[in-house]
Amino acid sequence: QIHKKAKLQITNNRYHMTSKNIYFYTHFAPEVRDHLESGAFRALCQHLRDRSGSVHNIDLMIVGGFGRNCLAKWLVKAARQLSCQMVDSDAKGAALLDAFGHSQATREVYGSDFFKWKKKYPENTTLEQVQRYQEALPIQAVHKEDTMLKTGMTVAMTEEFDSKFKMKVEAGAFRSLLDHLSDRSDVVRSEE
């Protein structure tokens, strides 16, 4: 029996669990969890796309320490992690995952090419936002040291990628978001 106050670290980049969310891991099969996490990731991306003109990346970084680009980077990282798991058993699939690059990931998150999106929704950053951004640096996601993001190129999403890997990659990215928020849960800001 698990002590109610105990925190558990789940392997394979699973987010830190408390007694509140153990049910998810003890009552749902891994495939079901991947499906639910993938759906939550897609819903978050759609939510942000629907609010592109009003929810700015800098505001996301101030409040939660991540932005749309972080979501894209977590997609790429999840693809690399999945590739590493299957390189011996499915070399073609691993190569397909390794080819999934940041440019394609940003298309998935933004719903369009990043530069077209940025032109359509320019962020006119205020001095107050810059100051709040600087104050929020301790909670922000850092990707500079992540070697998993160093490889890859832009390729068109293929039906094979969509059918075999997209859900797992989205689920992995969602788990990275949960890890990020869990690791910073005592300092992530609540905006009033």
Side-chain angles (χ1 to χ4, degrees):
Q1 186 174 13
I2 300 171
H3 191 273
K4 292 215 182 258
K5 292 185 180 178
K7 275 193 168 185
L8 303 175
Q9 174 70 40
I10 301 300
T11 57
N12 296 331
N13 276 342
R14 300 290 185 190
Y15 59 94
H16 301 281
M17 297 191 326
T18 62
S19 59
K20 292 178 187 172
N21 55 17
I22 286 176
Y23 185 90
F24 184 70
Y25 283 94
T26 58
H27 289 79
F28 294 107
E31 300 80 26
V32 173
R33 292 192 307 259
D34 282 347
H35 184 76
L36 295 173
E37 290 166 333
S38 173
F41 184 83
R42 284 192 311 276
L44 173 61
C45 291
Q46 185 62 51
H47 178 80
L48 292 174
R49 282 193 294 271
D50 291 346
R51 290 153 182 80
S52 292
S54 58
V55 178
H56 300 284
N57 278 329
I58 194 166
D59 294 325
L60 290 170
M61 294 294 291
I62 291 167
V63 175
F66 73 96
R68 291 172 178 89
N69 288 326
C70 295
L71 296 174
K73 289 174 183 176
W74 288 327
L75 277 172
V76 173
K77 183 177 179 179
R80 299 296 173 276
Q81 289 171 332
L82 186 55
S83 171
C84 289
Q85 293 172 7
M86 63 189 309
V87 71
D88 293 331
S89 61
D90 182 2
K92 181 182 174 192
L96 190 60
L97 287 162
D98 285 338
F100 181 75
H102 186 262
S103 181
Q104 185 62 45
T106 57
R107 280 190 194 95
E108 292 295 311
V109 172
Y110 287 88
S112 69
D113 175 75
F114 171 72
F115 296 105
K116 288 180 184 176
W117 183 91
K118 194 151 179 80
K119 187 175 181 178
K120 185 175 180 179
Y121 302 104
E123 291 188 32
N124 298 319
T125 308
T126 66
L127 186 58
E128 179 190 1
Q129 285 174 311
V130 172
Q131 182 179 359
R132 291 178 69 212
Y133 176 84
Q134 293 297 321
E135 292 168 0
L137 283 175
I139 67 166
Q140 293 173 10
V142 178
H143 306 283
K144 289 181 202 170
E145 309 294 319
D146 200 335
T147 57
M148 293 253 177
L149 299 175
K150 302 293 184 213
T151 60
M153 58 186 178
T154 302
V155 295
M157 292 283 266
T158 63
E159 286 184 31
E160 183 180 8
F161 185 93
D162 278 353
S163 67
K164 288 175 73 174
F165 306 121
K166 188 174 181 183
M167 184 173 64
K168 286 189 174 291
V169 168
E170 289 170 339
F174 187 72
R175 287 189 292 271
S176 291
L177 170 62
L178 295 178
D179 282 339
H180 170 80
L181 294 174
S182 177
D183 290 345
R184 293 155 179 81
S185 62
D186 57 335
V187 291
V188 169
R189 299 166 185 248
S190 172
E191 292 293 308
E192 314 254 337

